[in-house]
Amino acid sequence: MALSRLLLGWALVALWLFGWDLGAARGAWERRSALLPAGEALLLTLVGALWFGSLGSGAWWLVFALVGALREWPALSETTARVKGRPAPRRGLAGRLLRTFRVVGAGGILAWVMGPG
């Protein structure tokens, strides 16, 4: 897989995740908060490169849904959120499903950039 496709996929996924976080924070932006989606995008891009480059091309949505669900399974405690000065994460099923969709959306971007064809 070409490095240019990896970089393009990473950049688009980083923008997707940053935009999602910006919308969730209702416009409150910190320079430091841009690094978190960039790092998450890098990890998702590497998973996508592994999937699309060697393992397969079908059912990408299932792979990213499982990654998103695994990521959302252990909820942050309210104490941890308060120590970091952030609001406690939404613990309900709807909030977890939305955050899982965030990862599936990133996988869709990677499927479009790095997928076969």
Side-chain angles (χ1 to χ4, degrees), residues 23-89:
R26 292 174 174 61
W29 185 79
E30 297 176 16
R31 184 185 339 199
R32 196 175 67 174
S33 65
L35 294 176
L36 294 175
E40 185 181 1
L42 177 63
L43 294 174
L44 287 172
T45 302
L46 293 174
V47 167
L50 178 65
W51 179 254
F52 296 116
S54 64
L55 298 175
S57 60
W60 62 265
W61 58 271
L62 181 59
V63 172
F64 285 95
L66 289 172
V67 168
L70 283 171
R71 182 178 177 276
E72 289 304 320
W73 186 265
L76 288 174
S77 68
E78 291 181 26
T79 306
T80 303
R82 273 187 264 147
V83 167
K84 293 183 178 181
R86 298 181 188 150

